[in-house]
Amino acid sequence: MVSENIRRSRRRVVVTGFGAVTPVGLTFDATWEAFLAGRSGVAEISTFDTSDLPTSIAGQVKDFDPTVHMPRTIARRMDSYAQYAMAAAVQAQQMAKLEIDEDDADRVGVLIGSGYGAVNSIDGFSVTIRQKGPRAISPYAPITGAIDSAAGEISMALGAQGPSRAISSACATGTDALGEAARWIQFGVADAVVVGGADNCVTRVDLAGSGNARALSRRVDAPQEASRPFDEDRDGFVMSAGAGVLVLEEAERAQERGATILAEVLGYGCSSDAYHWTAPQPEGRGAKRAMRAALTDAGIEPDQVDHVNAHGTSTKLNDASEVASLREVLGERVTQIPVCSIKSMTGHMIGAAGAVEAITAVQTIRTGIVPPTINCHRPLADDINFVPHEPQQHDVRVVMSNSFGFGGHNAVVVLGAWDG
């Protein structure tokens, strides 16, 4: 945790742009529209055989054309997860009106996380070398198959010459990326960062593994009802694909160039359970440490939190643990504010989840609209407003966004309205 004297002297960080590619939309505007309509992106998998897999449903990105956002020659050497990241980054840059020139290129960083990385390309390379031999493997294979390929491609495309790297912490990746990028700016390493997360792990291997771990929903007869966070009848999460990217800037820099400031990154906290690969620590110790650290980092008291964009995966253990942890950290406040999970509509985008959820939190602050948790028919806690089925209007100035990942990774960001 950052010490109090350092916290008070560091630079302020603001959001000036964002973009997304999700199972419910190819931009964040389209995604937000789907959220307000309570529309699920979960469906039967159509791109490969699922007859022998534990489940046959996922949240896939549909009708995506990478050449809308990048030249065909570049798209051809990129894994789909990196294509999604590039598309979201281009959207974010355009929204922020971020122009990078020779004078400030070395002050603009890129940090793009992924939980699984280029798994589709790696699988394809393995098939190719077995069937056709080494000479059939592209010289770009080591680049395409690397987890930093999205960050590298984006930095080259935008001309960002500051720090550029990947980060990976399973389902907490997108939130960790946002928090770490904010620290780059707070402590003067960079003045702006293009940051987010991306994944496309809807593969036979990943569905088989997660399914065999009994983590995935098997509600294949009703795909759009499968992801049901905080519902008593939940039976697992839905594997999904997507990307979310934000432009973060040092506040004075953003003001000087006349950027529209959308929200402020107030605080970030992270921790590790050091307990189990797939199950949360039973008492939620790590999750609670991360939430408390984020609030302390933000200088925010629990009774100042207006909304929680929850991790809410739709698994038995995670949802119950998150609710118990929220009760302990926020006290009575958790029964007075809306707590939602957009995974009810997107499914779990793994490394992209936290980034898209942070963008959603920013949009909630801007509009006062909290998106719903669909499929929440029998809430596991009657005294908590999980925003069931329909969006709600609330006065939201501070949002806590949670991400808790396999391996015990916990990451939390606190976002707030910009007060100037």
Side-chain angles (χ1 to χ4, degrees), residues 358-417:
I359 294 169
T360 303
V362 171
Q363 189 73 342
T364 293
I365 290 169
R366 297 176 71 203
T367 64
I369 302 174
V370 179
T373 305
I374 67 170
N375 303 320
C376 189
H377 301 287
R378 294 206 303 139
L380 61 84
D382 292 332
D383 60 338
I384 294 178
N385 175 14
F386 293 117
V387 197
H389 317 308
E390 302 285 342
Q392 297 176 4
Q393 194 83 35
H394 290 270
D395 182 16
V396 175
R397 295 189 57 79
V398 176
V399 180
M400 184 167 70
S401 186
N402 293 342
S403 295
F404 311 127
F406 280 179
H409 304 289
N410 305 296
V412 177
V413 291
V414 177
L415 298 139

Side-chain angles (χ1 to χ4, degrees), residues 62-121:
K62 307 166 189 72
D63 303 319
F64 176 75
D65 179 0
T67 63
V68 172
H69 308 281
M70 67 202 84
R72 187 177 302 276
T73 52
I74 293 177
R76 288 180 59 188
R77 74 184 184 214
M78 297 170 69
D79 184 84
S80 54
Y81 101 93
Q83 292 176 348
Y84 299 162
M86 177 71 84
V90 170
Q91 294 170 28
Q93 183 202 23
Q94 291 174 345
M95 183 180 187
K97 296 181 174 61
L98 179 68
E99 296 182 4
I100 303 172
D101 57 33
E102 292 183 0
D103 293 334
D104 66 358
D106 63 343
R107 300 295 301 167
V108 181
V110 177
L111 179 54
I112 303 294
S114 182
Y116 289 68
V119 288
N120 286 276
S121 293

Side-chain angles (χ1 to χ4, degrees), residues 35 38-39 227-231 237 307-315 318-319 322 326 338-348 353 357 360 370-376 385-389 400-402:
F35 288 166
R39 188 163 62 246
S227 185
R228 44 201 317 116
F230 307 120
D231 184 77
F237 77 88
H307 165 48
V308 176
N309 194 303
H311 187 52
T313 59
S314 184
T315 61
N318 175 84
D319 288 9
E322 184 169 15
L326 284 169
V339 178
C340 79
S341 172
I342 63 168
K343 290 185 182 74
S344 61
M345 295 171 281
T346 63
H348 194 342
E357 287 155 11
T360 303
V370 179
T373 305
I374 67 170
N375 303 320
C376 189
N385 175 14
F386 293 117
V387 197
H389 317 308
M400 184 167 70
S401 186
N402 293 342

Side-chain angles (χ1 to χ4, degrees), residues 45-71:
I45 295 168
S46 58
T47 53
F48 54 82
D49 180 25
T50 61
S51 59
D52 57 347
L53 294 176
T55 190
S56 59
I57 58 175
Q60 294 182 285
V61 172
K62 307 166 189 72
D63 303 319
F64 176 75
D65 179 0
T67 63
V68 172
H69 308 281
M70 67 202 84

Side-chain angles (χ1 to χ4, degrees), residues 11 32 61 70 86 94 100 105 117 126 138 141 156 163 166 173 197 232 239 269 292 339 343 350 376 381 407 409:
R11 307 193 302 175
W32 181 250
V61 172
M70 67 202 84
M86 177 71 84
Q94 291 174 345
I100 303 172
S126 298
S138 166
M156 287 188 284
T173 295
E232 291 284 8
M239 190 77 80
R292 286 174 174 141
V339 178
K343 290 185 182 74
I350 312 298
C376 189
H409 304 289

Side-chain angles (χ1 to χ4, degrees), residues 119-367:
V119 288
N120 286 276
S121 293
I122 293 170
D123 181 61
F125 298 148
S126 298
V127 172
T128 297
I129 200 167
R130 286 197 304 270
Q131 294 180 348
K132 299 181 180 180
R135 292 183 64 83
I137 297 296
S138 166
Y140 284 111
I143 299 166
T144 301
I147 202 165
D148 67 337
S149 60
E153 294 283 8
I154 291 168
S155 66
M156 287 188 284
L158 302 186
Q161 298 175 18
S164 172
R165 67 192 61 164
I167 188 171
S168 186
S169 52
C171 315
T173 295
T175 300
D176 270 328
L178 180 61
E180 294 298 334
R183 286 180 173 172
W184 286 0
I185 296 172
Q186 288 168 340
F187 300 124
V189 176
D191 295 329
V193 184
V194 179
V195 56
D199 260 312
N200 184 12
C201 42
V202 181
T203 69
R204 282 178 53 78
V205 169
D206 295 307
L207 287 173
S210 294
N212 291 341
R214 299 189 179 279
L216 297 180
S217 172
R218 303 194 182 199
R219 199 182 296 268
V220 298
D221 56 333
Q224 296 194 342
E225 299 175 18
S227 185
R228 44 201 317 116
F230 307 120
D231 184 77
E232 291 284 8
D233 298 320
R234 66 196 184 279
D235 73 328
F237 77 88
V238 175
M239 190 77 80
S240 297
V245 175
L246 304 90
V247 173
L248 303 186
E249 296 187 61
E250 191 273 322
E252 290 186 6
R253 177 190 192 275
Q255 289 177 301
E256 287 173 2
R257 73 176 188 87
T260 299
I261 294 177
L262 308 174
E264 182 174 7
V265 181
L266 298 174
Y268 165 57
C270 55
S271 69
S272 297
D273 285 353
Y275 172 73
H276 190 275
W277 265 111
T278 58
Q281 200 278 338
E283 297 174 11
R285 293 174 186 168
K288 289 181 286 191
R289 280 199 305 274
M291 284 190 272
R292 286 174 174 141
L295 292 172
T296 299
D297 194 49
I300 293 291
E301 296 297 326
D303 62 3
Q304 294 176 280
V305 176
D306 299 314
H307 165 48
V308 176
N309 194 303
H311 187 52
T313 59
S314 184
T315 61
K316 289 288 186 182
L317 293 178
N318 175 84
D319 288 9
S321 176
E322 184 169 15
V323 167
S325 297
L326 284 169
R327 287 190 188 280
E328 190 164 334
V329 172
L330 298 183
E332 285 299 313
R333 185 63 173 171
V334 76
T335 66
Q336 302 164 358
I337 60 175
V339 178
C340 79
S341 172
I342 63 168
K343 290 185 182 74
S344 61
M345 295 171 281
T346 63
H348 194 342
M349 296 178 287
I350 312 298
V356 175
E357 287 155 11
I359 294 169
T360 303
V362 171
Q363 189 73 342
T364 293
I365 290 169
R366 297 176 71 203
T367 64

